[in-house]
Amino acid sequence: MKREIVAASSHRVIVVGDNRIMAGPVATPLRNTLRAPFTRRTWAELAYTLATLPLALIAVAYTVPMLENGLFWALSAPGLRKFGAASRYLARRLIAEDVPAPPAQGPTLRFKVRTKNEQDAARLAKAAQTAEAKARVWETKPGVTIRKIPSARIAELAADAGITVSQIQQLNAFANWIHRGGVDPVAWRARGYYAIKLPLASVGLAVAAIGWLGGLFYLAFPAWWSLGLHGRAELGVSSLAASFALVPLGAALLLAGTWLLHGTTESDRWLVRHLLGANSPEERIRVLRESRARVVDDSAARLRTIERDLHDGTQAQLIALAMKLGLAREKLTDGPQADLARVTQLVDDAHRGIIEAIADLRTLARGIHPPALDNGLADALATLAHRSAVPVELIADSPERPSAAIETMAYFSAAELLANVAKHSGARHATLEAVHVPGLLRIRVTDDGQGGARPVPGGGLYGLAERVRTVDGRVEVDSPRGGPTTVTVELPSHA
């Protein structure tokens, strides 16, 4: 069943219903809400809160005494980097938040440059700033301190500006080490993270304790009342029947504690991504370069696979086809004694070989660029949903088309996620959403399977995340044990 709806905003919305009859009940939002306290995701978030609270406490205790002066800033920078690595590890292992590590500390380029007069110093500082360096003119004598570019580049800038430089001196190793550690942006972001993390984890633990312990207490209050293990007068409960009035309060506390804990964990995810990962433009460029290098390697391997498939598959079929047609021609030229039955068989085999070769070529072409994308991403995703081995509901809202590269990446991302649902989830139903807002294309696949999906090195989700990062996108996996599983791929509209 396929329905097409035009929304109030004139966006094109396509809704494709189940492509086959479902074999069992589908998990509803109410059912998922009621199951939330007992899912793997909730227990993982609780374990994450319990594990990261003492880590945050130790990190703050380590950081605060080191805030006195620049020497202590430099001394504490390597330790703070290690604390950040520990937090990223816990986030990856417990809540499946895989954050790329920031780059290691590199050498500091910091030079003292002496000039003939103050005017030359000011001109050299301006030239250095134009070259994207940082420069500070001295106040007491003619000269300038320049950072971020090598000495050869400084000499080149001075020569181009006609400035006479009497000396270019690099700061000694110890001074460079102090400066590098004191201004290390990764360490300062880690300080900010733990300053926020400690109260956030404390709130998360308090919410879990109050919600879960209080909820379980009130859920079991009729039993406490019957056993006389709690003072009955304190809560104004005078009978066993009245004690059951507190059971809904227990259920509400248990659910509220679960979802509030989820809220604090999601806030922590955001902090880990923006404060402990690659955040500065230089760091993001480094991560993009590494991701692009991996994608280039994958592309080269894919091209070699296509070449091998063409050589060993389609080319071999065409050679066999040419031989069969040659044999058929020879049989036809035998004159009156031509074996027509043999000729017919050879022609039939050649015809069958042509059909197989065409099918192979179509498969190879589809792996390079899906023909379904010619009519837009919504139609291509509708084709994927129809072909899926699991019943899929498609919801696509696309007011405009993203760039061709993004459309192709979104299509293959959806194809891989639906293939994972069919192979590993045991799901009876899945939903594929494609929403395009200005600047962002979001692909989301949700299934009611057994859950437990997580990105691991060498796995499909991990490889998908690596490919998506090449265009500055991201993948988020929410898959508690027992389900449901939701995988979200966010891509920029243009790359």
Side-chain angles (χ1 to χ4, degrees):
M1 177 180 64
K2 179 174 180 178
R3 294 181 292 128
E4 191 167 304
I5 304 171
V6 179
S9 59
S10 297
H11 293 180
R12 188 177 181 223
V13 181
I14 293 180
V15 178
V16 179
D18 294 345
N19 53 1
R20 49 185 56 81
I21 300 174
M22 294 167 51
V26 178
T28 63
L30 177 60
R31 180 186 174 191
N32 292 334
T33 300
L34 296 177
R35 290 176 53 196
F38 313 104
T39 60
R40 182 182 180 276
R41 184 191 72 180
T42 300
W43 290 107
E45 291 175 348
L46 179 60
Y48 178 75
T49 302
L50 292 172
T52 54
L53 178 58
L55 178 64
L57 184 61
I58 296 171
V60 170
Y62 172 81
T63 301
V64 171
M66 296 291 185
L67 293 176
E68 184 175 352
N69 56 45
L71 176 61
F72 289 141
W73 300 349
L75 289 172
S76 63
L80 285 164
R81 281 176 167 265
K82 292 184 182 299
F83 278 117
S87 292
R88 289 193 302 272
Y89 173 79
L90 291 174
R92 182 170 60 253
R93 294 294 297 175
L94 296 177
I95 58 174
E97 185 64 39
D98 188 12
V99 177
Q105 283 182 290
T108 299
L109 298 175
R110 193 178 184 205
F111 298 91
K112 290 183 176 181
V113 184
R114 296 182 183 275
T115 59
K116 291 179 59 177
N117 52 55
E118 295 179 355
Q119 290 78 12
D120 284 350
R123 291 169 56 205
L124 182 57
K126 185 176 181 180
Q129 291 170 353
T130 304
E132 299 184 353
K134 293 187 177 181
R136 181 179 61 84
V137 178
W138 300 349
E139 297 179 357
T140 57
K141 49 188 175 181
V144 59
T145 299
I146 300 178
R147 291 188 289 142
K148 297 182 66 176
I149 57 176
S151 59
R153 179 60 174 157
I154 295 174
E156 181 183 346
L157 291 173
D160 292 342
I163 299 172
T164 301
V165 173
S166 58
Q167 184 184 31
I168 301 178
Q169 179 184 4
Q170 186 173 11
L171 294 183
N172 62 65
F174 180 74
N176 272 334
W177 179 81
I178 293 295
H179 179 265
R180 184 170 65 247
V183 300
D184 184 11
V186 176
W188 280 105
R189 292 203 304 268
R191 292 183 181 99
Y193 170 77
Y194 288 110
I196 303 172
K197 168 65 180 177
L198 183 58
L200 182 65
S202 301
V203 169
L205 189 59
V207 163
I210 295 173
W212 288 14
L213 296 180
L216 292 175
F217 173 78
Y218 285 116
L219 281 173
F221 191 77
W224 306 132
W225 195 95
S226 300
L227 297 174
L229 298 179
H230 190 278
R232 302 171 180 178
E234 287 84 344
L235 296 174
V237 179
S238 57
S239 66
L240 178 61
S243 68
F244 280 95
L246 295 176
V247 172
L249 175 61
L253 280 174
L254 190 61
L255 291 174
T258 299
W259 288 104
L260 288 174
L261 177 63
H262 179 63
T264 60
T265 305
E266 289 301 306
S267 300
D268 200 334
R269 285 179 187 269
W270 188 91
L271 291 172
V272 170
R273 286 196 298 266
H274 290 82
L275 295 180
L276 297 183
N279 194 43
S280 69
E282 294 82 2
E283 295 167 356
R284 292 173 66 84
I285 289 172
R286 191 266 307 175
V287 172
L288 285 174
R289 283 175 177 169
E290 292 179 354
S291 299
R292 288 182 191 275
R294 284 190 289 269
V295 169
V296 168
D297 292 340
D298 290 343
S299 299
R302 177 60 180 161
L303 288 174
R304 288 193 296 270
T305 300
I306 293 173
E307 180 183 8
R308 185 173 60 251
D309 291 343
L310 286 172
H311 181 273
D312 299 340
T314 306
Q315 179 176 308
Q317 289 176 324
L318 293 176
I319 291 174
L321 171 63
M323 294 176 64
K324 290 175 182 177
L325 290 176
L327 289 174
R329 183 180 59 185
E330 291 178 2
K331 294 292 183 182
L332 288 174
T333 58
D334 286 344
Q337 292 79 25
D339 188 352
L340 295 180
R342 177 58 177 162
V343 171
T344 302
Q345 180 183 356
L346 289 171
V347 172
D348 288 342
D349 291 343
H351 182 262
R352 187 163 49 252
I354 290 175
I355 294 175
E356 292 175 356
I358 292 174
D360 289 345
L361 286 173
R362 284 178 175 172
T363 301
L364 288 172
R366 189 179 298 116
I368 299 171
H369 176 76
L373 279 176
D374 294 341
N375 297 325
L377 182 61
D379 289 343
L381 295 181
T383 302
L384 280 180
H386 179 72
R387 292 175 178 170
S388 174
V390 175
V392 175
E393 178 184 2
L394 169 66
I395 302 174
D397 184 1
S398 182
E400 61 182 57
R401 293 188 66 169
S403 64
I406 294 299
E407 272 194 339
T408 302
M409 184 169 288
Y411 174 86
F412 283 117
S413 297
E416 182 161 348
L417 293 177
L418 289 179
N420 286 344
V421 170
K423 291 179 182 178
H424 309 298
S425 71
R428 296 184 298 270
H429 178 265
T431 300
L432 170 59
E433 300 175 56
V435 178
H436 185 203
V437 297
L440 179 68
L441 175 62
R442 181 181 295 112
I443 303 294
R444 177 176 291 133
V445 174
T446 304
D447 68 72
D448 60 352
Q450 60 191 1
R454 57 191 311 169
V456 295
L461 290 176
Y462 187 87
L464 176 61
E466 290 294 315
R467 293 191 296 274
V468 166
R469 281 183 190 148
T470 61
V471 293
D472 208 16
R474 59 184 296 267
V475 175
E476 182 177 345
V477 181
D478 183 7
S479 182
R481 184 68 62 184
T485 294
T486 300
V487 182
T488 304
V489 178
E490 292 185 349
L491 300 166
S493 297
H494 301 279

